Amino acid sequence: MAKIRLFIDHPLVAGQPVPVDGPQAHYLSGVMRLRPGDAVSVFNGRDGEWQATLLDAGKRGGSLSVVAQTAVQQDPPDLWLMFAPIKKARTDFIVEKAAEMGAARILPVQTDHTNSDRIRQDRLQAHAIEAAEQCGGTFVPPVADLAPLSRVLDGWDPARRILWADESRAGPAETLAGLPQGPWAILIGPEGGFSATERTHLARLPFVTPVSLGPRILRADTAAVAALALWQAALGDWR
Ligand code: SAH
């Protein structure tokens, strides 16, 4: 049986009990049919992975006993993913994949051609947690609230470079191997692409590097995964 991994936002210390909430208790006893004494892996996003055993699980919640650390904390490289939210299922997909691919922070941004003007931040954060639970990660990228791209760029720290997936450069894919190390953010546009105003703005920011993601125009969710893979392979923890 696959190892059961649970994210618990609580300090993890050997010999200490930790609470689990109602839905987690239901998952452990109702869905996975665990009994008191059975093993569960837990992580809190800060202290690595720990082996724990189930103490009790009821309708309102339950508790686990933390036994010993099984993996040290592993944080992803300092890479953010900025993307314009698209349809619900595809937005969920982008957040899930970003967590799996090792993004350190996820920032939904509203662009001129963004179709949605609100997101369910709590739901997206839950998707990031679920992705970390299933991919064996010990880190959960925080998902920010939706913010206008122009405002995000106005307050931007120029020490963090932006890799701008620019659909107008569609053509031979570019190698990222020569790009400098350090903090980066990937920027992916919505289905309608970037507006003329946004292109002019982005093109004159010194910390922005436009890139092609190959000869075909990708959907935004595909583009996000492709850009994360290119960056991780050239500058990140895939090397
Ligand atoms: N409607 C636009 C395409 C938008 S694709 C058009 O027809 O031109 C959605 C986003 O994915 C783009 O804004 C860009 O960030 C990224 N993207 C898709 N294909 C790309 C490519 N070949 N090169 C660079 N970025 C790409």
Side-chain angles (χ1 to χ4, degrees), residues 49 54 75 81 152 160:
E49 185 192 83
L54 185 62
D75 293 335
L81 176 68
V152 172
R160 180 178 300 277

Side-chain angles (χ1 to χ4, degrees), residues 165-167 170 188-194 211-214 216-218 220 223:
D166 175 4
E167 65 273 9
I188 304 290
E191 271 154 39
F194 291 96
V211 284
S212 156
L213 297 176
R216 289 165 292 275
I217 299 288
L218 309 174

Side-chain angles (χ1 to χ4, degrees), residues 149 153 164 187 194 197-205 208:
L149 176 63
L153 292 176
W164 170 27
L187 173 61
F194 291 96
T197 318
E198 285 166 341
R199 316 191 137 274
T200 314
H201 186 189
L202 285 163
R204 62 180 168 70
L205 294 175
V208 170

